[in-house]
Short mmCIF file of all heavy atoms in Angstrom, two decimals:
data_model
loop_
_atom_site.label_atom_id
_atom_site.label_comp_id
_atom_site.label_asym_id
_atom_site.label_seq_id
_atom_site.Cartn_x
_atom_site.Cartn_y
_atom_site.Cartn_z
N MET A 23 -4.07 -38.18 -140.44
CA MET A 23 -3.09 -39.26 -140.58
C MET A 23 -3.32 -40.29 -139.48
O MET A 23 -3.35 -39.96 -138.31
CB MET A 23 -1.68 -38.67 -140.49
CG MET A 23 -0.61 -39.66 -140.69
SD MET A 23 0.96 -38.77 -140.79
CE MET A 23 2.03 -40.10 -140.96
N ALA A 24 -3.51 -41.52 -139.86
CA ALA A 24 -3.78 -42.59 -138.90
C ALA A 24 -2.52 -42.97 -138.14
O ALA A 24 -1.42 -42.98 -138.70
CB ALA A 24 -4.34 -43.80 -139.62
N ALA A 25 -2.68 -43.25 -136.87
CA ALA A 25 -1.54 -43.67 -136.05
C ALA A 25 -1.14 -45.08 -136.45
O ALA A 25 -1.98 -45.93 -136.72
CB ALA A 25 -1.90 -43.62 -134.58
N LYS A 26 0.15 -45.32 -136.48
CA LYS A 26 0.66 -46.64 -136.80
C LYS A 26 0.41 -47.58 -135.61
O LYS A 26 0.57 -47.19 -134.46
CB LYS A 26 2.16 -46.53 -137.09
CG LYS A 26 2.75 -47.76 -137.71
CD LYS A 26 4.18 -47.51 -138.12
CE LYS A 26 4.75 -48.72 -138.80
NZ LYS A 26 6.14 -48.54 -139.14
N SER A 27 0.02 -48.79 -135.89
CA SER A 27 -0.23 -49.76 -134.84
C SER A 27 1.07 -50.08 -134.11
O SER A 27 2.11 -50.28 -134.71
CB SER A 27 -0.80 -51.05 -135.44
OG SER A 27 -0.87 -52.05 -134.46
N THR A 28 0.99 -50.12 -132.78
CA THR A 28 2.18 -50.44 -131.98
C THR A 28 2.09 -51.85 -131.41
O THR A 28 2.85 -52.22 -130.54
CB THR A 28 2.35 -49.42 -130.83
OG1 THR A 28 1.16 -49.45 -130.03
CG2 THR A 28 2.59 -48.03 -131.35
N ARG A 29 1.17 -52.62 -131.91
CA ARG A 29 0.92 -53.96 -131.39
C ARG A 29 2.19 -54.81 -131.33
O ARG A 29 2.43 -55.51 -130.37
CB ARG A 29 -0.12 -54.64 -132.26
CG ARG A 29 -0.50 -56.03 -131.81
CD ARG A 29 -1.65 -56.52 -132.69
NE ARG A 29 -1.80 -57.94 -132.75
CZ ARG A 29 -1.01 -58.77 -133.39
NH1 ARG A 29 0.05 -58.33 -134.01
NH2 ARG A 29 -1.24 -60.06 -133.43
N ASN A 30 3.02 -54.74 -132.35
CA ASN A 30 4.20 -55.62 -132.40
C ASN A 30 5.51 -54.85 -132.40
O ASN A 30 6.49 -55.30 -132.96
CB ASN A 30 4.12 -56.52 -133.65
CG ASN A 30 3.19 -57.69 -133.43
OD1 ASN A 30 2.97 -58.10 -132.31
ND2 ASN A 30 2.65 -58.21 -134.50
N THR A 31 5.56 -53.69 -131.78
CA THR A 31 6.82 -52.97 -131.80
C THR A 31 7.72 -53.39 -130.65
O THR A 31 8.90 -53.59 -130.83
CB THR A 31 6.61 -51.45 -131.76
OG1 THR A 31 5.82 -51.13 -130.63
CG2 THR A 31 5.95 -50.96 -133.02
N GLU A 32 7.19 -53.53 -129.47
CA GLU A 32 8.00 -53.93 -128.32
C GLU A 32 7.97 -55.44 -128.15
O GLU A 32 6.93 -56.06 -128.24
CB GLU A 32 7.45 -53.27 -127.04
CG GLU A 32 7.57 -51.76 -127.02
CD GLU A 32 9.00 -51.29 -127.04
OE1 GLU A 32 9.86 -51.91 -126.38
OE2 GLU A 32 9.27 -50.30 -127.74
N TRP A 33 9.15 -55.99 -127.90
CA TRP A 33 9.25 -57.43 -127.67
C TRP A 33 9.04 -57.71 -126.19
O TRP A 33 9.64 -57.06 -125.34
CB TRP A 33 10.63 -57.92 -128.07
CG TRP A 33 10.85 -58.01 -129.55
CD1 TRP A 33 11.04 -56.96 -130.41
CD2 TRP A 33 10.94 -59.19 -130.34
NE1 TRP A 33 11.23 -57.43 -131.68
CE2 TRP A 33 11.19 -58.80 -131.67
CE3 TRP A 33 10.85 -60.55 -130.05
CZ2 TRP A 33 11.33 -59.71 -132.71
CZ3 TRP A 33 11.00 -61.46 -131.08
CH2 TRP A 33 11.24 -61.04 -132.39
N THR A 34 8.22 -58.69 -125.87
CA THR A 34 8.05 -59.10 -124.48
C THR A 34 9.16 -60.09 -124.13
O THR A 34 9.74 -60.72 -125.03
CB THR A 34 6.68 -59.79 -124.27
OG1 THR A 34 6.67 -61.02 -125.01
CG2 THR A 34 5.53 -58.90 -124.71
N PRO A 35 9.47 -60.23 -122.86
CA PRO A 35 10.48 -61.24 -122.47
C PRO A 35 10.10 -62.64 -122.96
O PRO A 35 10.97 -63.42 -123.33
CB PRO A 35 10.47 -61.17 -120.94
CG PRO A 35 10.03 -59.78 -120.63
CD PRO A 35 9.02 -59.43 -121.72
N ASP A 36 8.83 -62.95 -123.00
CA ASP A 36 8.37 -64.25 -123.48
C ASP A 36 8.68 -64.43 -124.97
O ASP A 36 9.10 -65.51 -125.39
CB ASP A 36 6.86 -64.39 -123.22
CG ASP A 36 6.39 -65.82 -123.33
OD1 ASP A 36 7.11 -66.72 -122.85
OD2 ASP A 36 5.29 -66.04 -123.88
N GLU A 37 8.48 -63.37 -125.75
CA GLU A 37 8.78 -63.45 -127.18
C GLU A 37 10.28 -63.61 -127.42
O GLU A 37 10.69 -64.36 -128.31
CB GLU A 37 8.29 -62.19 -127.90
CG GLU A 37 6.78 -62.12 -128.04
CD GLU A 37 6.34 -60.82 -128.66
OE1 GLU A 37 6.83 -59.75 -128.25
OE2 GLU A 37 5.50 -60.87 -129.58
N VAL A 38 11.08 -62.93 -126.62
CA VAL A 38 12.54 -63.06 -126.76
C VAL A 38 12.95 -64.49 -126.43
O VAL A 38 13.79 -65.08 -127.12
CB VAL A 38 13.29 -62.05 -125.85
CG1 VAL A 38 14.79 -62.29 -125.88
CG2 VAL A 38 12.98 -60.62 -126.28
N GLN A 39 12.33 -65.09 -125.42
CA GLN A 39 12.64 -66.48 -125.08
C GLN A 39 12.22 -67.42 -126.21
O GLN A 39 12.95 -68.35 -126.54
CB GLN A 39 11.96 -66.89 -123.77
CG GLN A 39 12.37 -68.28 -123.29
CD GLN A 39 13.88 -68.43 -123.10
OE1 GLN A 39 14.50 -67.62 -122.43
NE2 GLN A 39 14.47 -69.43 -123.72
N GLN A 40 11.07 -67.15 -126.81
CA GLN A 40 10.63 -67.96 -127.96
C GLN A 40 11.64 -67.84 -129.09
O GLN A 40 11.95 -68.84 -129.74
CB GLN A 40 9.26 -67.48 -128.46
CG GLN A 40 8.09 -67.97 -127.65
CD GLN A 40 6.79 -67.52 -128.30
OE1 GLN A 40 6.50 -66.33 -128.36
NE2 GLN A 40 6.03 -68.46 -128.79
N LEU A 41 12.13 -66.63 -129.33
CA LEU A 41 13.13 -66.41 -130.37
C LEU A 41 14.38 -67.23 -130.08
O LEU A 41 14.92 -67.89 -130.96
CB LEU A 41 13.46 -64.92 -130.47
CG LEU A 41 14.53 -64.52 -131.47
CD1 LEU A 41 14.17 -64.92 -132.89
CD2 LEU A 41 14.79 -63.02 -131.39
N ARG A 42 14.84 -67.20 -128.83
CA ARG A 42 16.02 -67.99 -128.43
C ARG A 42 15.78 -69.48 -128.66
O ARG A 42 16.63 -70.19 -129.19
CB ARG A 42 16.35 -67.77 -126.96
CG ARG A 42 16.98 -66.45 -126.66
CD ARG A 42 17.38 -66.37 -125.18
NE ARG A 42 17.71 -65.01 -124.83
CZ ARG A 42 18.85 -64.40 -125.16
NH1 ARG A 42 19.76 -65.05 -125.85
NH2 ARG A 42 19.07 -63.15 -124.81
N ASP A 43 14.61 -69.96 -128.25
CA ASP A 43 14.29 -71.38 -128.40
C ASP A 43 14.26 -71.78 -129.87
O ASP A 43 14.79 -72.84 -130.24
CB ASP A 43 12.94 -71.70 -127.74
CG ASP A 43 12.97 -71.56 -126.22
OD1 ASP A 43 14.08 -71.51 -125.64
OD2 ASP A 43 11.88 -71.48 -125.62
N LEU A 44 13.65 -70.95 -130.70
CA LEU A 44 13.58 -71.25 -132.13
C LEU A 44 14.97 -71.23 -132.76
O LEU A 44 15.30 -72.08 -133.58
CB LEU A 44 12.65 -70.26 -132.83
CG LEU A 44 11.16 -70.40 -132.49
CD1 LEU A 44 10.39 -69.19 -133.00
CD2 LEU A 44 10.59 -71.69 -133.05
N ALA A 45 15.79 -70.27 -132.35
CA ALA A 45 17.15 -70.19 -132.89
C ALA A 45 17.97 -71.41 -132.45
O ALA A 45 18.76 -71.94 -133.24
CB ALA A 45 17.82 -68.90 -132.43
N ASP A 46 17.77 -71.85 -131.23
CA ASP A 46 18.51 -73.01 -130.71
C ASP A 46 18.20 -74.28 -131.50
O ASP A 46 19.02 -75.18 -131.58
CB ASP A 46 18.20 -73.25 -129.23
CG ASP A 46 18.89 -72.25 -128.32
OD1 ASP A 46 19.80 -71.53 -128.79
OD2 ASP A 46 18.50 -72.18 -127.13
N THR A 47 17.00 -74.35 -132.07
CA THR A 47 16.62 -75.53 -132.84
C THR A 47 16.80 -75.30 -134.34
O THR A 47 16.28 -76.06 -135.16
CB THR A 47 15.16 -75.94 -132.55
OG1 THR A 47 14.29 -74.83 -132.85
CG2 THR A 47 14.98 -76.35 -131.10
N ASN A 48 17.57 -74.23 -134.69
CA ASN A 48 17.89 -73.91 -136.09
C ASN A 48 16.65 -73.72 -136.97
O ASN A 48 16.64 -74.09 -138.14
CB ASN A 48 18.81 -74.97 -136.71
CG ASN A 48 20.15 -75.00 -136.02
OD1 ASN A 48 20.65 -73.98 -135.59
ND2 ASN A 48 20.72 -76.19 -135.92
N THR A 49 15.59 -73.15 -136.39
CA THR A 49 14.38 -72.86 -137.15
C THR A 49 14.67 -71.76 -138.16
O THR A 49 15.28 -70.74 -137.81
CB THR A 49 13.26 -72.39 -136.18
OG1 THR A 49 13.06 -73.42 -135.21
CG2 THR A 49 11.96 -72.13 -136.92
N PRO A 50 14.27 -71.93 -139.42
CA PRO A 50 14.50 -70.88 -140.42
C PRO A 50 13.79 -69.58 -140.03
O PRO A 50 12.72 -69.60 -139.42
CB PRO A 50 13.88 -71.46 -141.70
CG PRO A 50 13.82 -72.94 -141.47
CD PRO A 50 13.64 -73.12 -139.99
N VAL A 51 14.38 -68.45 -140.41
CA VAL A 51 13.83 -67.15 -140.05
C VAL A 51 12.41 -66.99 -140.59
O VAL A 51 11.55 -66.40 -139.91
CB VAL A 51 14.76 -66.01 -140.55
CG1 VAL A 51 14.14 -64.65 -140.28
CG2 VAL A 51 16.12 -66.10 -139.87
N GLY A 52 12.13 -67.51 -141.77
CA GLY A 52 10.78 -67.42 -142.32
C GLY A 52 9.74 -68.10 -141.44
O GLY A 52 8.63 -67.59 -141.27
N VAL A 53 10.10 -69.22 -140.87
CA VAL A 53 9.20 -69.95 -139.97
C VAL A 53 9.06 -69.18 -138.66
O VAL A 53 7.96 -69.05 -138.11
CB VAL A 53 9.69 -71.39 -139.73
CG1 VAL A 53 8.83 -72.11 -138.69
CG2 VAL A 53 9.72 -72.17 -141.03
N MET A 54 10.18 -68.63 -138.16
CA MET A 54 10.13 -67.81 -136.95
C MET A 54 9.16 -66.65 -137.15
O MET A 54 8.39 -66.30 -136.25
CB MET A 54 11.50 -67.25 -136.61
CG MET A 54 12.51 -68.24 -136.13
SD MET A 54 14.03 -67.35 -135.76
CE MET A 54 15.15 -68.69 -135.51
N SER A 55 9.23 -66.04 -138.34
CA SER A 55 8.37 -64.90 -138.67
C SER A 55 6.90 -65.28 -138.53
O SER A 55 6.11 -64.52 -137.94
CB SER A 55 8.68 -64.45 -140.10
OG SER A 55 7.79 -63.46 -140.51
N LEU A 56 6.54 -66.43 -139.03
CA LEU A 56 5.15 -66.88 -138.93
C LEU A 56 4.76 -67.19 -137.49
O LEU A 56 3.69 -66.82 -137.03
CB LEU A 56 4.94 -68.12 -139.80
CG LEU A 56 5.08 -67.91 -141.31
CD1 LEU A 56 5.03 -69.24 -142.04
CD2 LEU A 56 3.99 -66.98 -141.81
N LYS A 57 5.64 -67.86 -136.76
CA LYS A 57 5.33 -68.25 -135.39
C LYS A 57 5.23 -67.05 -134.45
O LYS A 57 4.41 -67.03 -133.54
CB LYS A 57 6.38 -69.23 -134.86
CG LYS A 57 6.28 -70.61 -135.47
CD LYS A 57 7.28 -71.55 -134.85
CE LYS A 57 7.17 -72.93 -135.43
NZ LYS A 57 6.33 -73.81 -134.65
N LEU A 58 6.09 -66.04 -134.68
CA LEU A 58 6.11 -64.89 -133.79
C LEU A 58 5.25 -63.73 -134.29
O LEU A 58 5.05 -62.76 -133.57
CB LEU A 58 7.56 -64.41 -133.60
CG LEU A 58 8.48 -65.40 -132.89
CD1 LEU A 58 9.93 -64.92 -132.94
CD2 LEU A 58 8.04 -65.60 -131.45
N GLY A 59 4.77 -63.83 -135.52
CA GLY A 59 3.94 -62.76 -136.07
C GLY A 59 4.71 -61.47 -136.30
O GLY A 59 4.18 -60.37 -136.13
N ARG A 60 5.98 -61.60 -136.67
CA ARG A 60 6.85 -60.45 -136.93
C ARG A 60 7.53 -60.61 -138.27
O ARG A 60 7.59 -61.70 -138.81
CB ARG A 60 7.90 -60.32 -135.82
CG ARG A 60 7.27 -59.99 -134.48
CD ARG A 60 8.33 -59.81 -133.43
NE ARG A 60 7.76 -59.42 -132.16
CZ ARG A 60 7.56 -58.16 -131.80
NH1 ARG A 60 7.90 -57.17 -132.59
NH2 ARG A 60 7.04 -57.88 -130.63
N THR A 61 8.08 -59.51 -138.78
CA THR A 61 8.78 -59.59 -140.07
C THR A 61 10.13 -60.26 -139.87
O THR A 61 10.69 -60.28 -138.76
CB THR A 61 9.00 -58.19 -140.66
OG1 THR A 61 9.87 -57.46 -139.81
CG2 THR A 61 7.68 -57.44 -140.85
N GLU A 62 10.67 -60.78 -140.97
CA GLU A 62 11.99 -61.39 -140.92
C GLU A 62 13.04 -60.35 -140.51
O GLU A 62 13.96 -60.66 -139.75
CB GLU A 62 12.34 -62.02 -142.26
CG GLU A 62 11.50 -63.26 -142.55
CD GLU A 62 11.90 -63.96 -143.83
OE1 GLU A 62 13.06 -63.83 -144.27
OE2 GLU A 62 11.05 -64.66 -144.41
N ASP A 63 12.91 -59.13 -141.02
CA ASP A 63 13.85 -58.06 -140.65
C ASP A 63 13.80 -57.78 -139.15
O ASP A 63 14.84 -57.58 -138.52
CB ASP A 63 13.55 -56.78 -141.43
CG ASP A 63 13.99 -56.86 -142.88
OD1 ASP A 63 14.79 -57.75 -143.22
OD2 ASP A 63 13.52 -56.03 -143.67
N SER A 64 12.60 -57.76 -138.58
CA SER A 64 12.44 -57.52 -137.16
C SER A 64 13.11 -58.63 -136.35
O SER A 64 13.78 -58.37 -135.34
CB SER A 64 10.95 -57.44 -136.81
OG SER A 64 10.76 -57.35 -135.43
N ILE A 65 12.95 -59.86 -136.80
CA ILE A 65 13.55 -61.00 -136.10
C ILE A 65 15.07 -60.93 -136.17
O ILE A 65 15.76 -61.12 -135.17
CB ILE A 65 13.01 -62.33 -136.68
CG1 ILE A 65 11.55 -62.48 -136.26
CG2 ILE A 65 13.85 -63.51 -136.24
CD1 ILE A 65 10.81 -63.58 -136.95
N ARG A 66 15.60 -60.65 -137.36
CA ARG A 66 17.06 -60.53 -137.50
C ARG A 66 17.62 -59.41 -136.63
O ARG A 66 18.66 -59.55 -135.99
CB ARG A 66 17.44 -60.31 -138.96
CG ARG A 66 17.30 -61.55 -139.80
CD ARG A 66 17.86 -61.34 -141.21
NE ARG A 66 17.60 -62.49 -142.03
CZ ARG A 66 16.56 -62.61 -142.84
NH1 ARG A 66 15.71 -61.62 -142.98
NH2 ARG A 66 16.37 -63.72 -143.53
N SER A 67 16.92 -58.29 -136.61
CA SER A 67 17.35 -57.14 -135.83
C SER A 67 17.36 -57.45 -134.33
O SER A 67 18.33 -57.15 -133.63
CB SER A 67 16.42 -55.95 -136.12
OG SER A 67 16.77 -54.85 -135.35
N LYS A 68 16.29 -58.06 -133.85
CA LYS A 68 16.20 -58.39 -132.42
C LYS A 68 17.22 -59.45 -132.04
O LYS A 68 17.85 -59.37 -130.99
CB LYS A 68 14.78 -58.86 -132.07
CG LYS A 68 14.57 -59.05 -130.58
CD LYS A 68 14.77 -57.76 -129.82
CE LYS A 68 14.44 -57.92 -128.36
NZ LYS A 68 14.64 -56.66 -127.62
N ALA A 69 17.40 -60.44 -132.90
CA ALA A 69 18.38 -61.48 -132.63
C ALA A 69 19.77 -60.87 -132.51
O ALA A 69 20.54 -61.20 -131.60
CB ALA A 69 18.35 -62.54 -133.72
N SER A 70 20.09 -59.96 -133.41
CA SER A 70 21.39 -59.29 -133.37
C SER A 70 21.54 -58.49 -132.08
O SER A 70 22.58 -58.55 -131.42
CB SER A 70 21.53 -58.38 -134.59
OG SER A 70 22.74 -57.68 -134.54
N ALA A 71 20.51 -57.75 -131.71
CA ALA A 71 20.55 -56.92 -130.50
C ALA A 71 20.70 -57.77 -129.23
O ALA A 71 21.33 -57.34 -128.26
CB ALA A 71 19.29 -56.06 -130.41
N GLU A 72 20.14 -58.96 -129.26
CA GLU A 72 20.18 -59.85 -128.09
C GLU A 72 21.37 -60.82 -128.12
O GLU A 72 21.53 -61.62 -127.20
CB GLU A 72 18.88 -60.66 -127.99
CG GLU A 72 17.64 -59.84 -127.74
CD GLU A 72 17.54 -59.34 -126.32
OE1 GLU A 72 18.01 -60.03 -125.39
OE2 GLU A 72 17.00 -58.24 -126.13
N GLY A 73 22.15 -60.77 -129.19
CA GLY A 73 23.29 -61.68 -129.30
C GLY A 73 22.88 -63.11 -129.61
O GLY A 73 23.58 -64.06 -129.25
N ILE A 74 21.76 -63.27 -130.30
CA ILE A 74 21.25 -64.59 -130.65
C ILE A 74 21.70 -64.91 -132.07
O ILE A 74 21.43 -64.15 -132.99
CB ILE A 74 19.70 -64.62 -130.57
CG1 ILE A 74 19.23 -64.29 -129.16
CG2 ILE A 74 19.17 -65.98 -131.02
CD1 ILE A 74 17.74 -64.04 -129.05
N SER A 75 22.37 -66.04 -132.24
CA SER A 75 22.83 -66.45 -133.56
C SER A 75 21.70 -67.16 -134.30
O SER A 75 21.07 -68.07 -133.77
CB SER A 75 24.02 -67.40 -133.44
OG SER A 75 24.36 -67.89 -134.71
N LEU A 76 21.45 -66.71 -135.53
CA LEU A 76 20.42 -67.34 -136.35
C LEU A 76 21.03 -68.33 -137.34
O LEU A 76 20.31 -68.97 -138.09
CB LEU A 76 19.62 -66.28 -137.10
CG LEU A 76 18.83 -65.32 -136.23
CD1 LEU A 76 18.09 -64.29 -137.09
CD2 LEU A 76 17.85 -66.06 -135.34
N SER A 77 22.35 -68.44 -137.33
CA SER A 77 23.02 -69.37 -138.23
C SER A 77 23.35 -70.65 -137.49
O SER A 77 23.80 -70.61 -136.35
CB SER A 77 24.33 -68.76 -138.74
OG SER A 77 24.08 -67.55 -139.40
N PRO A 78 23.13 -71.78 -138.13
CA PRO A 78 23.50 -73.03 -137.46
C PRO A 78 25.02 -73.10 -137.29
O PRO A 78 25.75 -72.56 -138.11
CB PRO A 78 23.01 -74.13 -138.41
CG PRO A 78 22.79 -73.47 -139.71
CD PRO A 78 22.57 -72.00 -139.44
N PRO A 79 25.47 -73.71 -136.23
CA PRO A 79 26.92 -73.82 -136.02
C PRO A 79 27.56 -74.65 -137.13
O PRO A 79 26.94 -75.55 -137.68
CB PRO A 79 27.05 -74.53 -134.68
CG PRO A 79 25.73 -75.15 -134.41
CD PRO A 79 24.70 -74.38 -135.19
N ASN A 80 28.79 -74.31 -137.46
CA ASN A 80 29.52 -75.07 -138.48
C ASN A 80 29.95 -76.41 -137.90
O ASN A 80 30.78 -76.46 -137.00
CB ASN A 80 30.76 -74.29 -138.91
CG ASN A 80 30.61 -73.71 -140.28
OD1 ASN A 80 29.68 -74.04 -140.99
ND2 ASN A 80 31.51 -72.83 -140.64
N ARG A 81 29.37 -77.45 -138.40
CA ARG A 81 29.72 -78.79 -137.91
C ARG A 81 30.01 -79.66 -139.12
O ARG A 81 29.29 -79.60 -140.11
CB ARG A 81 28.56 -79.41 -137.15
CG ARG A 81 28.27 -78.75 -135.85
CD ARG A 81 27.23 -79.55 -135.09
NE ARG A 81 26.67 -78.76 -134.02
CZ ARG A 81 25.44 -78.82 -133.59
NH1 ARG A 81 24.60 -79.67 -134.13
NH2 ARG A 81 25.01 -78.07 -132.61
N PRO A 82 31.02 -80.50 -139.02
CA PRO A 82 31.25 -81.44 -140.12
C PRO A 82 30.07 -82.39 -140.23
O PRO A 82 29.48 -82.76 -139.22
CB PRO A 82 32.53 -82.17 -139.75
CG PRO A 82 32.79 -81.85 -138.32
CD PRO A 82 31.98 -80.63 -137.96
N PRO A 83 29.70 -82.79 -141.44
CA PRO A 83 28.52 -83.64 -141.61
C PRO A 83 28.66 -85.03 -140.97
O PRO A 83 27.68 -85.65 -140.65
CB PRO A 83 28.35 -83.75 -143.11
CG PRO A 83 29.65 -83.34 -143.70
CD PRO A 83 30.33 -82.45 -142.70
N TYR A 84 29.90 -85.49 -140.79
CA TYR A 84 30.09 -86.83 -140.23
C TYR A 84 31.01 -86.76 -139.00
O TYR A 84 32.06 -87.37 -138.95
CB TYR A 84 30.69 -87.78 -141.27
CG TYR A 84 29.81 -87.87 -142.50
CD1 TYR A 84 30.18 -87.26 -143.68
CD2 TYR A 84 28.60 -88.55 -142.46
CE1 TYR A 84 29.38 -87.32 -144.81
CE2 TYR A 84 27.78 -88.60 -143.57
CZ TYR A 84 28.16 -88.00 -144.74
OH TYR A 84 27.36 -88.06 -145.84
N ALA A 85 30.60 -85.99 -138.03
CA ALA A 85 31.41 -85.83 -136.82
C ALA A 85 31.48 -87.16 -136.07
O ALA A 85 30.52 -87.91 -136.01
CB ALA A 85 30.80 -84.76 -135.92
N THR A 86 32.64 -87.44 -135.51
CA THR A 86 32.82 -88.69 -134.77
C THR A 86 32.87 -88.42 -133.31
O THR A 86 33.19 -87.38 -132.85
CB THR A 86 34.09 -89.42 -135.20
OG1 THR A 86 35.19 -88.55 -135.03
CG2 THR A 86 33.98 -89.92 -136.61
#
């Protein structure tokens, strides 16, 4: 039985910062997945564990 690759199991502090930066700019999870080389599920899971919101804030479209 072949060992599963562990290349992308642990998140580095740099990757977590990239995730925060992407979330801050409301980058879609699919795009984050491509940029970080991780699955969408992995990104959602890590964001949740780190308290990072992946949803854009509720703002009225014509705020004054």
Side-chain angles (χ1 to χ4, degrees):
M23 183 172 178
K26 192 173 183 183
S27 172
T28 58
R29 182 174 157 288
N30 281 335
T31 55
E32 295 296 321
W33 286 74
T34 65
D36 195 40
E37 288 176 314
V38 174
Q39 186 57 52
Q40 280 184 295
L41 177 60
R42 285 185 193 284
D43 293 344
L44 291 168
D46 285 347
T47 58
N48 295 326
T49 303
V51 175
V53 175
M54 290 181 190
S55 174
L56 294 172
K57 288 184 179 265
L58 296 172
R60 294 183 177 270
T61 65
E62 290 184 25
D63 286 343
S64 174
I65 289 169
R66 286 188 186 95
S67 177
K68 187 61 175 180
S70 177
E72 295 286 328
I74 300 169
S75 174
L76 296 179
S77 302
N80 252 350
R81 291 188 196 146
Y84 302 106
T86 56

